[in-house]
Amino acid sequence: MVKSYKLHIFVCHGKNCSSSGSEKLLEILRDRLDSAGLTADVKTSKSGCLSVCKETNPKGGLCPAMIIYPQGVWYHNVAEGDIDEIVKQHVKDGKPVERLLHHKM
């Protein structure tokens, strides 16, 4: 049987996002989800380049990027200090963090 999740969060690990700390960001995200008891409901994955940084700044000015499905919410400029807010406001309460919003499907 395939495991069903309420949310799937992808953290970009393209060249620019990786150099902007996306690996550490994913570690912190996983830690916060575990601490909040949400790992059974939320899957996290590395993604390839999401091309968010290339849209306006080829040097990675919008990195790191993250997408949360099934809502299709794309975040940019995510910092380590933003993870708690994303987990509380978006993951728990279902409300996107507007100040980090890049695109919403």
Side-chain angles (χ1 to χ4, degrees), residues 34-100:
D34 185 45
S35 295
L38 296 168
T39 54
D41 294 327
V42 182
K43 173 133 178 93
T44 57
S45 299
K46 293 178 184 180
S47 76
C49 181
L50 297 172
S51 297
V52 169
C53 57
K54 296 176 185 171
E55 290 181 20
T56 58
N57 184 346
K59 296 189 190 254
L62 296 177
C63 295
M66 170 187 298
I67 304 174
I68 300 182
Y69 284 110
Q71 298 99 337
V73 173
W74 292 55
Y75 289 121
H76 64 254
N77 284 336
V78 179
E80 293 177 15
D82 298 322
I83 297 298
D84 287 332
E85 184 177 6
I86 291 170
V87 169
K88 182 186 181 313
Q89 185 175 317
H90 189 141
V91 175
K92 286 184 175 180
D93 297 338
K95 300 173 188 165
V97 179
E98 294 292 327
R99 67 182 178 77
L100 300 172

